[in-house]
Amino acid sequence: MAEANSISGKDLQEMFTAATGWLEKSAADVDALNVFPVPDGDTGTNMLLTMRSSIEDAYQVANNSVSAVAQAIARGALIGARGNSGVILSQIWNGLAQGLDEKETMTGADLVQGLLLASRTAYNGLSNPVEGTILTVIREAAEAAEKHASEVSNDLISVMEATVEAARESVANTPTLLPVLKECGVVDAGGQGLYTILEGALHYLKGETEQLKLRRPWMVASSIPLTTRAPQMVGAEDEVPYGYCTNFVIKGAELDPEKLRRRLEKKGLSVIVIGDDSAVRVHIHTLDPGDIMHYVNHLGTLHQINIRNMDEQYRDFLEMQKERMPEVDTAIVAVVVGEGLSQVFTSLGTTIIVPGGQTMNPSTKDLLQAVEAVPSEKVIILPNNKNIVLTAEQVPALTEKKIHVVPTRTVPQGVAALLAFDYEADLETNTVSMYQAHLEVKSIEVTRAVRATRLGGLDIKKNQAIGFLDGDLVAVADKPEEVLNEVLERVEPDKAEVVTIYYGADTKPAEAEQAAASIRERYSQLQVEVVQGGQPHYNYIASVE
Amino acid sequence: MTVKIITDSLGDIPPGIAEELGITVIPINVIFGNINYRDGVDLTTEQFYDKLAASKVFPTTIVPSLGRYADAYDQVAEETGDIIVITNSHKLSASYETAVLARERMKKKCRVEVIDSLSAIMAQGLIVMAAARAAKDGARLDKILEGVRNNIPRAHIRMAFGTLEYLRRGGRIGKAKTFLGMVLKVSPILGIRDGEIYPFAREHSRARAIDYLYEFADGFTGIEGIGVEDVTTPGEAEELARRLQARFLGETIYRSRVGPAVGAHVGPRVLGVAVLGDRDQP
């Protein structure tokens, strides 16, 4: 089946069979991804069973037109749909069938048409479409197919390649759209399933049958890392699973899917109702499945009833998630203020951030709570401020957990310590190497004088910019940038490698960039990085390594 | 009868060594657009990386067919009745699966043992080279197999990365996804553990990342092989090899280059050190 500009109904059957086989190989991995809208935990299996039902119907068609086969696929998917994503998948094939209506064969242009309608039908089928799911993936894939066909080539394989590539990018991007995915560090399971199906279809179109046999689909990795939540968010109710995932089909006469959906939306969440006046498929998450069954029983006959407890699935899911992350048994609690700085610390692997810093010192209790909240028996605390080191050192005596404090007195020291964290090493080894690393960095802090004074041989007027080097006041000037430069001159910048400048909430990005540019100009060997720290009080915090 | 060793091209055996030790290397294919290149055969490493830098298309890699593996077995079976095939980690490619299945497609009668190195690039290469040396010295098949099994947990690799984007796109990032999305520009140090990519450390500059690689190798005893390899930065690799040579005076420091099939997944600027030996620290 290589090198074709259009395919027949028979080819479409086989393409779906190949795609289903491809999905089958990774169905278990897709199951493991599932978190949305509450963890059903079986998205891959549901999509696979939906696809199988499609194929069964597809092979009952005697007619060799793509139109007839696509309609059979859509019908099979509707009747066989399971779970949230299975139902949405059936809507997608329904749209595809509409796009291929009355077509004998499918060309690249027909595929584009089918995908666009698939996307539209999928969105229309839901009362509350959510981005960052399979919906986004089908939409972005369809848009990419359309763009490719009009701007590059409308050759069938070429269009399919563009579709698959766009689907992959879209899947990788789902965590940026859907916070629950970001928190779990996974991509959307339904999106991954759809991508895999499309990729399987592409392999078939390209005649790559041996690979379909031998290789396995790759799981798309999230484009953003796993982030850990702040302590106050632990146990937030938006993710607590509830009740039963309830699925069934009603067969009867004069059914009204619209009306039924409106009714069911009052009785549960994640409601999906699709079908026509003779058969309707329902998916709902509810606390009382009995009430739902009782309500729909009079509408017609019930088929394929499937009710599962989601709490059990959720527990299994959490267990599985644990296994998927690096087996780090040491957690890190850091005291940080400023959105940018918090991001820096989180992205470097801080488990919990306790907000605080200059003039906002957290209490021993605040730190203790954070230490107790982390899912680990061993914790390293980074106080990141000289006024907090002592507070942090009170914590080990107050908890059963094993706590080490690396006495970081500045933000740059905290970052240097964090970078030295070794994922392989134990608590003791890490404490030693982080301690060593925090000594090896020079910290510059630039702020404004709150009153006039004379200190360290410097005459300081109120509101002038003052600069500290490792906690010692060493420079004063009218502009913060002047002070930054003056302090930098004291640390032999011609021998340093990296300068990182974190600019504060009151500093304009352009000013920070200009300061960095002037440093680069004077010291061409320096790698100067500018990061929005967002910290209050300090115009600049900089590290020199 | 001498045992013969076969491996895939993902082990980055240094140029000349395969011939010297009588190792048969099966090239892994790289696909750019619609064109299929055999690793190291149709495309030199230089040409590949020029193409990678210039192309907007993302290359993919494909393990050759069962038939290609079976042909290689049959060809080697002309000379011997005992073959050991050492493959790339099954978590990183389909080489192991293919190598196992290919045995049934062989025409000749020959004992073929397939072992998963649970590794890649020169860590895999060093395991293969040690096996080939034993074979050349006349060791029997079972003895060599035992040696390979012992060496698998002793082969370590660390790589300093320029970017993790290629790994992410290729789907092989494994647990190193923890390192994605860092706000600061840091050099991630990754390695292979339990057959997959694993995050080990981060350094704030390239120079420090290279120091890390040196110190990593420095922590070994009982060394049976050290390899240094680069993707597009041979100068850095030469310098690091020189430093390591000064530290390990009696050892040969093997220099190699990451082949295109792996290069497509790790991207330019990866610099790696592989050691076969015993680590001082756990």
Side-chain angles (χ1 to χ4, degrees), chain A residues 150-173:
Chain A
S150 72
E151 291 174 12
V152 184
S153 156
N154 65 1
D155 168 77
L156 180 60
I157 291 179
S158 172
V159 169
M160 193 55 133
E161 273 176 342
T163 309
V164 170
E165 183 54 31
R168 174 178 20 203
E169 286 297 314
S170 182
V171 171
N173 196 39

mmCIF file with all atom_site columns, all heavy atoms in Angstrom, chain A residues 150-173:
data_model
loop_
_atom_site.group_PDB
_atom_site.id
_atom_site.type_symbol
_atom_site.label_atom_id
_atom_site.label_alt_id
_atom_site.label_comp_id
_atom_site.label_asym_id
_atom_site.label_entity_id
_atom_site.label_seq_id
_atom_site.pdbx_PDB_ins_code
_atom_site.Cartn_x
_atom_site.Cartn_y
_atom_site.Cartn_z
_atom_site.occupancy
_atom_site.B_iso_or_equiv
_atom_site.pdbx_formal_charge
_atom_site.auth_seq_id
_atom_site.auth_comp_id
_atom_site.auth_asym_id
_atom_site.auth_atom_id
_atom_site.pdbx_PDB_model_num
ATOM 1   N N   . SER A 1 150 ? -2.873 23.438 1.649  1.00 0.00 ? 150 SER A N   1
ATOM 2   C CA  . SER A 1 150 ? -2.994 24.640 0.837  1.00 0.00 ? 150 SER A CA  1
ATOM 3   C C   . SER A 1 150 ? -1.639 25.288 0.561  1.00 0.00 ? 150 SER A C   1
ATOM 4   O O   . SER A 1 150 ? -1.460 25.953 -0.444 1.00 0.00 ? 150 SER A O   1
ATOM 5   C CB  . SER A 1 150 ? -3.965 25.639 1.484  1.00 0.00 ? 150 SER A CB  1
ATOM 6   O OG  . SER A 1 150 ? -3.364 26.197 2.625  1.00 0.00 ? 150 SER A OG  1
ATOM 7   N N   . GLU A 1 151 ? -0.663 25.074 1.453  1.00 0.00 ? 151 GLU A N   1
ATOM 8   C CA  . GLU A 1 151 ? 0.605  25.791 1.274  1.00 0.00 ? 151 GLU A CA  1
ATOM 9   C C   . GLU A 1 151 ? 1.743  24.910 0.781  1.00 0.00 ? 151 GLU A C   1
ATOM 10  O O   . GLU A 1 151 ? 2.697  25.410 0.184  1.00 0.00 ? 151 GLU A O   1
ATOM 11  C CB  . GLU A 1 151 ? 1.031  26.442 2.596  1.00 0.00 ? 151 GLU A CB  1
ATOM 12  C CG  . GLU A 1 151 ? 0.109  27.587 2.999  1.00 0.00 ? 151 GLU A CG  1
ATOM 13  C CD  . GLU A 1 151 ? 0.443  28.134 4.384  1.00 0.00 ? 151 GLU A CD  1
ATOM 14  O OE1 . GLU A 1 151 ? 1.519  27.786 4.913  1.00 0.00 ? 151 GLU A OE1 1
ATOM 15  O OE2 . GLU A 1 151 ? -0.381 28.896 4.903  1.00 0.00 ? 151 GLU A OE2 1
ATOM 16  N N   . VAL A 1 152 ? 1.682  23.612 1.064  1.00 0.00 ? 152 VAL A N   1
ATOM 17  C CA  . VAL A 1 152 ? 2.816  22.762 0.691  1.00 0.00 ? 152 VAL A CA  1
ATOM 18  C C   . VAL A 1 152 ? 2.419  21.720 -0.345 1.00 0.00 ? 152 VAL A C   1
ATOM 19  O O   . VAL A 1 152 ? 2.888  21.754 -1.494 1.00 0.00 ? 152 VAL A O   1
ATOM 20  C CB  . VAL A 1 152 ? 3.427  22.062 1.936  1.00 0.00 ? 152 VAL A CB  1
ATOM 21  C CG1 . VAL A 1 152 ? 4.664  21.271 1.536  1.00 0.00 ? 152 VAL A CG1 1
ATOM 22  C CG2 . VAL A 1 152 ? 3.770  23.080 3.011  1.00 0.00 ? 152 VAL A CG2 1
ATOM 23  N N   . SER A 1 153 ? 1.563  20.802 0.043  1.00 0.00 ? 153 SER A N   1
ATOM 24  C CA  . SER A 1 153 ? 1.195  19.742 -0.883 1.00 0.00 ? 153 SER A CA  1
ATOM 25  C C   . SER A 1 153 ? -0.091 19.122 -0.391 1.00 0.00 ? 153 SER A C   1
ATOM 26  O O   . SER A 1 153 ? -0.308 18.980 0.807  1.00 0.00 ? 153 SER A O   1
ATOM 27  C CB  . SER A 1 153 ? 2.310  18.685 -0.914 1.00 0.00 ? 153 SER A CB  1
ATOM 28  O OG  . SER A 1 153 ? 1.779  17.441 -1.335 1.00 0.00 ? 153 SER A OG  1
ATOM 29  N N   . ASN A 1 154 ? -0.973 18.734 -1.318 1.00 0.00 ? 154 ASN A N   1
ATOM 30  C CA  . ASN A 1 154 ? -2.167 18.035 -0.872 1.00 0.00 ? 154 ASN A CA  1
ATOM 31  C C   . ASN A 1 154 ? -2.097 16.544 -1.187 1.00 0.00 ? 154 ASN A C   1
ATOM 32  O O   . ASN A 1 154 ? -3.102 15.857 -1.211 1.00 0.00 ? 154 ASN A O   1
ATOM 33  C CB  . ASN A 1 154 ? -3.444 18.694 -1.390 1.00 0.00 ? 154 ASN A CB  1
ATOM 34  C CG  . ASN A 1 154 ? -3.550 18.605 -2.895 1.00 0.00 ? 154 ASN A CG  1
ATOM 35  O OD1 . ASN A 1 154 ? -2.667 18.039 -3.540 1.00 0.00 ? 154 ASN A OD1 1
ATOM 36  N ND2 . ASN A 1 154 ? -4.630 19.146 -3.447 1.00 0.00 ? 154 ASN A ND2 1
ATOM 37  N N   . ASP A 1 155 ? -0.882 16.060 -1.391 1.00 0.00 ? 155 ASP A N   1
ATOM 38  C CA  . ASP A 1 155 ? -0.663 14.627 -1.515 1.00 0.00 ? 155 ASP A CA  1
ATOM 39  C C   . ASP A 1 155 ? -1.106 13.938 -0.214 1.00 0.00 ? 155 ASP A C   1
ATOM 40  O O   . ASP A 1 155 ? -0.846 14.442 0.878  1.00 0.00 ? 155 ASP A O   1
ATOM 41  C CB  . ASP A 1 155 ? 0.836  14.373 -1.767 1.00 0.00 ? 155 ASP A CB  1
ATOM 42  C CG  . ASP A 1 155 ? 1.194  12.911 -1.614 1.00 0.00 ? 155 ASP A CG  1
ATOM 43  O OD1 . ASP A 1 155 ? 0.891  12.150 -2.543 1.00 0.00 ? 155 ASP A OD1 1
ATOM 44  O OD2 . ASP A 1 155 ? 1.738  12.537 -0.551 1.00 0.00 ? 155 ASP A OD2 1
ATOM 45  N N   . LEU A 1 156 ? -1.766 12.802 -0.332 1.00 0.00 ? 156 LEU A N   1
ATOM 46  C CA  . LEU A 1 156 ? -2.381 12.157 0.842  1.00 0.00 ? 156 LEU A CA  1
ATOM 47  C C   . LEU A 1 156 ? -1.367 11.861 1.941  1.00 0.00 ? 156 LEU A C   1
ATOM 48  O O   . LEU A 1 156 ? -1.576 12.206 3.102  1.00 0.00 ? 156 LEU A O   1
ATOM 49  C CB  . LEU A 1 156 ? -3.090 10.863 0.400  1.00 0.00 ? 156 LEU A CB  1
ATOM 50  C CG  . LEU A 1 156 ? -3.778 10.063 1.519  1.00 0.00 ? 156 LEU A CG  1
ATOM 51  C CD1 . LEU A 1 156 ? -4.852 10.875 2.205  1.00 0.00 ? 156 LEU A CD1 1
ATOM 52  C CD2 . LEU A 1 156 ? -4.373 8.772  0.953  1.00 0.00 ? 156 LEU A CD2 1
ATOM 53  N N   . ILE A 1 157 ? -0.253 11.233 1.563  1.00 0.00 ? 157 ILE A N   1
ATOM 54  C CA  . ILE A 1 157 ? 0.744  10.857 2.584  1.00 0.00 ? 157 ILE A CA  1
ATOM 55  C C   . ILE A 1 157 ? 1.354  12.100 3.211  1.00 0.00 ? 157 ILE A C   1
ATOM 56  O O   . ILE A 1 157 ? 1.539  12.198 4.424  1.00 0.00 ? 157 ILE A O   1
ATOM 57  C CB  . ILE A 1 157 ? 1.832  9.948  1.957  1.00 0.00 ? 157 ILE A CB  1
ATOM 58  C CG1 . ILE A 1 157 ? 1.212  8.596  1.613  1.00 0.00 ? 157 ILE A CG1 1
ATOM 59  C CG2 . ILE A 1 157 ? 3.018  9.783  2.909  1.00 0.00 ? 157 ILE A CG2 1
ATOM 60  C CD1 . ILE A 1 157 ? 2.150  7.617  0.966  1.00 0.00 ? 157 ILE A CD1 1
ATOM 61  N N   . SER A 1 158 ? 1.628  13.073 2.359  1.00 0.00 ? 158 SER A N   1
ATOM 62  C CA  . SER A 1 158 ? 2.225  14.306 2.843  1.00 0.00 ? 158 SER A CA  1
ATOM 63  C C   . SER A 1 158 ? 1.298  15.013 3.839  1.00 0.00 ? 158 SER A C   1
ATOM 64  O O   . SER A 1 158 ? 1.734  15.497 4.889  1.00 0.00 ? 158 SER A O   1
ATOM 65  C CB  . SER A 1 158 ? 2.536  15.162 1.622  1.00 0.00 ? 158 SER A CB  1
ATOM 66  O OG  . SER A 1 158 ? 2.946  16.424 1.994  1.00 0.00 ? 158 SER A OG  1
ATOM 67  N N   . VAL A 1 159 ? 0.002  15.040 3.532  1.00 0.00 ? 159 VAL A N   1
ATOM 68  C CA  . VAL A 1 159 ? -0.970 15.654 4.443  1.00 0.00 ? 159 VAL A CA  1
ATOM 69  C C   . VAL A 1 159 ? -1.009 14.872 5.765  1.00 0.00 ? 159 VAL A C   1
ATOM 70  O O   . VAL A 1 159 ? -1.023 15.440 6.852  1.00 0.00 ? 159 VAL A O   1
ATOM 71  C CB  . VAL A 1 159 ? -2.382 15.698 3.804  1.00 0.00 ? 159 VAL A CB  1
ATOM 72  C CG1 . VAL A 1 159 ? -3.433 16.079 4.846  1.00 0.00 ? 159 VAL A CG1 1
ATOM 73  C CG2 . VAL A 1 159 ? -2.412 16.672 2.640  1.00 0.00 ? 159 VAL A CG2 1
ATOM 74  N N   . MET A 1 160 ? -0.995 13.553 5.651  1.00 0.00 ? 160 MET A N   1
ATOM 75  C CA  . MET A 1 160 ? -1.055 12.724 6.853  1.00 0.00 ? 160 MET A CA  1
ATOM 76  C C   . MET A 1 160 ? 0.186  12.933 7.716  1.00 0.00 ? 160 MET A C   1
ATOM 77  O O   . MET A 1 160 ? 0.092  12.971 8.943  1.00 0.00 ? 160 MET A O   1
ATOM 78  C CB  . MET A 1 160 ? -1.214 11.250 6.450  1.00 0.00 ? 160 MET A CB  1
ATOM 79  C CG  . MET A 1 160 ? -1.600 10.360 7.620  1.00 0.00 ? 160 MET A CG  1
ATOM 80  S SD  . MET A 1 160 ? -3.089 10.902 8.502  1.00 0.00 ? 160 MET A SD  1
ATOM 81  C CE  . MET A 1 160 ? -3.979 9.404  8.636  1.00 0.00 ? 160 MET A CE  1
ATOM 82  N N   . GLU A 1 161 ? 1.333  13.081 7.082  1.00 0.00 ? 161 GLU A N   1
ATOM 83  C CA  . GLU A 1 161 ? 2.569  13.338 7.839  1.00 0.00 ? 161 GLU A CA  1
ATOM 84  C C   . GLU A 1 161 ? 2.447  14.629 8.634  1.00 0.00 ? 161 GLU A C   1
ATOM 85  O O   . GLU A 1 161 ? 2.797  14.692 9.809  1.00 0.00 ? 161 GLU A O   1
ATOM 86  C CB  . GLU A 1 161 ? 3.777  13.442 6.896  1.00 0.00 ? 161 GLU A CB  1
ATOM 87  C CG  . GLU A 1 161 ? 4.402  12.094 6.612  1.00 0.00 ? 161 GLU A CG  1
ATOM 88  C CD  . GLU A 1 161 ? 5.535  12.182 5.596  1.00 0.00 ? 161 GLU A CD  1
ATOM 89  O OE1 . GLU A 1 161 ? 5.620  13.201 4.856  1.00 0.00 ? 161 GLU A OE1 1
ATOM 90  O OE2 . GLU A 1 161 ? 6.319  11.224 5.544  1.00 0.00 ? 161 GLU A OE2 1
ATOM 91  N N   . ALA A 1 162 ? 1.951  15.674 7.965  1.00 0.00 ? 162 ALA A N   1
ATOM 92  C CA  . ALA A 1 162 ? 1.799  16.961 8.650  1.00 0.00 ? 162 ALA A CA  1
ATOM 93  C C   . ALA A 1 162 ? 0.807  16.826 9.801  1.00 0.00 ? 162 ALA A C   1
ATOM 94  O O   . ALA A 1 162 ? 0.987  17.412 10.876 1.00 0.00 ? 162 ALA A O   1
ATOM 95  C CB  . ALA A 1 162 ? 1.327  18.021 7.653  1.00 0.00 ? 162 ALA A CB  1
ATOM 96  N N   . THR A 1 163 ? -0.235 16.028 9.581  1.00 0.00 ? 163 THR A N   1
ATOM 97  C CA  . THR A 1 163 ? -1.245 15.826 10.610 1.00 0.00 ? 163 THR A CA  1
ATOM 98  C C   . THR A 1 163 ? -0.641 15.159 11.841 1.00 0.00 ? 163 THR A C   1
ATOM 99  O O   . THR A 1 163 ? -0.860 15.575 12.977 1.00 0.00 ? 163 THR A O   1
ATOM 100 C CB  . THR A 1 163 ? -2.386 14.925 10.060 1.00 0.00 ? 163 THR A CB  1
ATOM 101 O OG1 . THR A 1 163 ? -2.827 15.476 8.825  1.00 0.00 ? 163 THR A OG1 1
ATOM 102 C CG2 . THR A 1 163 ? -3.533 14.823 11.041 1.00 0.00 ? 163 THR A CG2 1
ATOM 103 N N   . VAL A 1 164 ? 0.140  14.102 11.595 1.00 0.00 ? 164 VAL A N   1
ATOM 104 C CA  . VAL A 1 164 ? 0.734  13.341 12.691 1.00 0.00 ? 164 VAL A CA  1
ATOM 105 C C   . VAL A 1 164 ? 1.721  14.210 13.477 1.00 0.00 ? 164 VAL A C   1
ATOM 106 O O   . VAL A 1 164 ? 1.728  14.223 14.707 1.00 0.00 ? 164 VAL A O   1
ATOM 107 C CB  . VAL A 1 164 ? 1.431  12.067 12.152 1.00 0.00 ? 164 VAL A CB  1
ATOM 108 C CG1 . VAL A 1 164 ? 2.267  11.403 13.238 1.00 0.00 ? 164 VAL A CG1 1
ATOM 109 C CG2 . VAL A 1 164 ? 0.385  11.093 11.627 1.00 0.00 ? 164 VAL A CG2 1
ATOM 110 N N   . GLU A 1 165 ? 2.533  14.958 12.737 1.00 0.00 ? 165 GLU A N   1
ATOM 111 C CA  . GLU A 1 165 ? 3.529  15.803 13.406 1.00 0.00 ? 165 GLU A CA  1
ATOM 112 C C   . GLU A 1 165 ? 2.830  16.857 14.284 1.00 0.00 ? 165 GLU A C   1
ATOM 113 O O   . GLU A 1 165 ? 3.212  17.094 15.420 1.00 0.00 ? 165 GLU A O   1
ATOM 114 C CB  . GLU A 1 165 ? 4.427  16.464 12.353 1.00 0.00 ? 165 GLU A CB  1
ATOM 115 C CG  . GLU A 1 165 ? 5.563  17.321 12.908 1.00 0.00 ? 165 GLU A CG  1
ATOM 116 C CD  . GLU A 1 165 ? 6.462  16.599 13.922 1.00 0.00 ? 165 GLU A CD  1
ATOM 117 O OE1 . GLU A 1 165 ? 6.631  15.369 13.802 1.00 0.00 ? 165 GLU A OE1 1
ATOM 118 O OE2 . GLU A 1 165 ? 6.971  17.262 14.842 1.00 0.00 ? 165 GLU A OE2 1
ATOM 119 N N   . ALA A 1 166 ? 1.770  17.468 13.730 1.00 0.00 ? 166 ALA A N   1
ATOM 120 C CA  . ALA A 1 166 ? 1.038  18.479 14.501 1.00 0.00 ? 166 ALA A CA  1
ATOM 121 C C   . ALA A 1 166 ? 0.375  17.849 15.714 1.00 0.00 ? 166 ALA A C   1
ATOM 122 O O   . ALA A 1 166 ? 0.336  18.439 16.793 1.00 0.00 ? 166 ALA A O   1
ATOM 123 C CB  . ALA A 1 166 ? -0.016 19.146 13.616 1.00 0.00 ? 166 ALA A CB  1
ATOM 124 N N   . ALA A 1 167 ? -0.119 16.627 15.545 1.00 0.00 ? 167 ALA A N   1
ATOM 125 C CA  . ALA A 1 167 ? -0.764 15.941 16.676 1.00 0.00 ? 167 ALA A CA  1
ATOM 126 C C   . ALA A 1 167 ? 0.252  15.700 17.784 1.00 0.00 ? 167 ALA A C   1
ATOM 127 O O   . ALA A 1 167 ? -0.029 15.892 18.963 1.00 0.00 ? 167 ALA A O   1
ATOM 128 C CB  . ALA A 1 167 ? -1.384 14.620 16.220 1.00 0.00 ? 167 ALA A CB  1
ATOM 129 N N   . ARG A 1 168 ? 1.452  15.303 17.383 1.00 0.00 ? 168 ARG A N   1
ATOM 130 C CA  . ARG A 1 168 ? 2.470  15.042 18.394 1.00 0.00 ? 168 ARG A CA  1
ATOM 131 C C   . ARG A 1 168 ? 2.805  16.317 19.175 1.00 0.00 ? 168 ARG A C   1
ATOM 132 O O   . ARG A 1 168 ? 2.860  16.322 20.396 1.00 0.00 ? 168 ARG A O   1
ATOM 133 C CB  . ARG A 1 168 ? 3.735  14.494 17.735 1.00 0.00 ? 168 ARG A CB  1
ATOM 134 C CG  . ARG A 1 168 ? 4.784  14.399 18.805 1.00 0.00 ? 168 ARG A CG  1
ATOM 135 C CD  . ARG A 1 168 ? 6.132  13.856 18.486 1.00 0.00 ? 168 ARG A CD  1
ATOM 136 N NE  . ARG A 1 168 ? 6.629  13.792 17.155 1.00 0.00 ? 168 ARG A NE  1
ATOM 137 C CZ  . ARG A 1 168 ? 7.592  12.933 16.809 1.00 0.00 ? 168 ARG A CZ  1
ATOM 138 N NH1 . ARG A 1 168 ? 8.034  12.083 17.684 1.00 0.00 ? 168 ARG A NH1 1
ATOM 139 N NH2 . ARG A 1 168 ? 8.069  12.952 15.593 1.00 0.00 ? 168 ARG A NH2 1
ATOM 140 N N   . GLU A 1 169 ? 3.009  17.405 18.443 1.00 0.00 ? 169 GLU A N   1
ATOM 141 C CA  . GLU A 1 169 ? 3.319  18.670 19.118 1.00 0.00 ? 169 GLU A CA  1
ATOM 142 C C   . GLU A 1 169 ? 2.178  19.069 20.047 1.00 0.00 ? 169 GLU A C   1
ATOM 143 O O   . GLU A 1 169 ? 2.384  19.550 21.151 1.00 0.00 ? 169 GLU A O   1
ATOM 144 C CB  . GLU A 1 169 ? 3.546  19.783 18.076 1.00 0.00 ? 169 GLU A CB  1
ATOM 145 C CG  . GLU A 1 169 ? 4.869  19.658 17.346 1.00 0.00 ? 169 GLU A CG  1
ATOM 146 C CD  . GLU A 1 169 ? 6.072  19.797 18.281 1.00 0.00 ? 169 GLU A CD  1
ATOM 147 O OE1 . GLU A 1 169 ? 6.080  20.723 19.122 1.00 0.00 ? 169 GLU A OE1 1
ATOM 148 O OE2 . GLU A 1 169 ? 6.987  18.960 18.198 1.00 0.00 ? 169 GLU A OE2 1
ATOM 149 N N   . SER A 1 170 ? 0.970  18.859 19.547 1.00 0.00 ? 170 SER A N   1
ATOM 150 C CA  . SER A 1 170 ? -0.203 19.241 20.321 1.00 0.00 ? 170 SER A CA  1
ATOM 151 C C   . SER A 1 170 ? -0.288 18.426 21.615 1.00 0.00 ? 170 SER A C   1
ATOM 152 O O   . SER A 1 170 ? -0.596 18.956 22.677 1.00 0.00 ? 170 SER A O   1
ATOM 153 C CB  . SER A 1 170 ? -1.445 19.035 19.454 1.00 0.00 ? 170 SER A CB  1
ATOM 154 O OG  . SER A 1 170 ? -2.594 19.439 20.144 1.00 0.00 ? 170 SER A OG  1
ATOM 155 N N   . VAL A 1 171 ? 0.011  17.138 21.522 1.00 0.00 ? 171 VAL A N   1
ATOM 156 C CA  . VAL A 1 171 ? -0.018 16.277 22.710 1.00 0.00 ? 171 VAL A CA  1
ATOM 157 C C   . VAL A 1 171 ? 1.022  16.761 23.732 1.00 0.00 ? 171 VAL A C   1
ATOM 158 O O   . VAL A 1 171 ? 0.736  16.897 24.918 1.00 0.00 ? 171 VAL A O   1
ATOM 159 C CB  . VAL A 1 171 ? 0.251  14.804 22.338 1.00 0.00 ? 171 VAL A CB  1
ATOM 160 C CG1 . VAL A 1 171 ? 0.431  13.961 23.602 1.00 0.00 ? 171 VAL A CG1 1
ATOM 161 C CG2 . VAL A 1 171 ? -0.897 14.243 21.511 1.00 0.00 ? 171 VAL A CG2 1
ATOM 162 N N   . ALA A 1 172 ? 2.228  17.039 23.223 1.00 0.00 ? 172 ALA A N   1
ATOM 163 C CA  . ALA A 1 172 ? 3.302  17.475 24.132 1.00 0.00 ? 172 ALA A CA  1
ATOM 164 C C   . ALA A 1 172 ? 2.920  18.757 24.847 1.00 0.00 ? 172 ALA A C   1
ATOM 165 O O   . ALA A 1 172 ? 3.340  19.019 25.968 1.00 0.00 ? 172 ALA A O   1
ATOM 166 C CB  . ALA A 1 172 ? 4.595  17.660 23.354 1.00 0.00 ? 172 ALA A CB  1
ATOM 167 N N   . ASN A 1 173 ? 2.082  19.547 24.181 1.00 0.00 ? 173 ASN A N   1
ATOM 168 C CA  . ASN A 1 173 ? 1.715  20.847 24.718 1.00 0.00 ? 173 ASN A CA  1
ATOM 169 C C   . ASN A 1 173 ? 0.505  20.802 25.652 1.00 0.00 ? 173 ASN A C   1
ATOM 170 O O   . ASN A 1 173 ? 0.185  21.798 26.304 1.00 0.00 ? 173 ASN A O   1
ATOM 171 C CB  . ASN A 1 173 ? 1.428  21.787 23.530 1.00 0.00 ? 173 ASN A CB  1
ATOM 172 C CG  . ASN A 1 173 ? 1.430  23.230 23.953 1.00 0.00 ? 173 ASN A CG  1
ATOM 173 O OD1 . ASN A 1 173 ? 2.250  23.635 24.770 1.00 0.00 ? 173 ASN A OD1 1
ATOM 174 N ND2 . ASN A 1 173 ? 0.481  23.997 23.438 1.00 0.00 ? 173 ASN A ND2 1
#
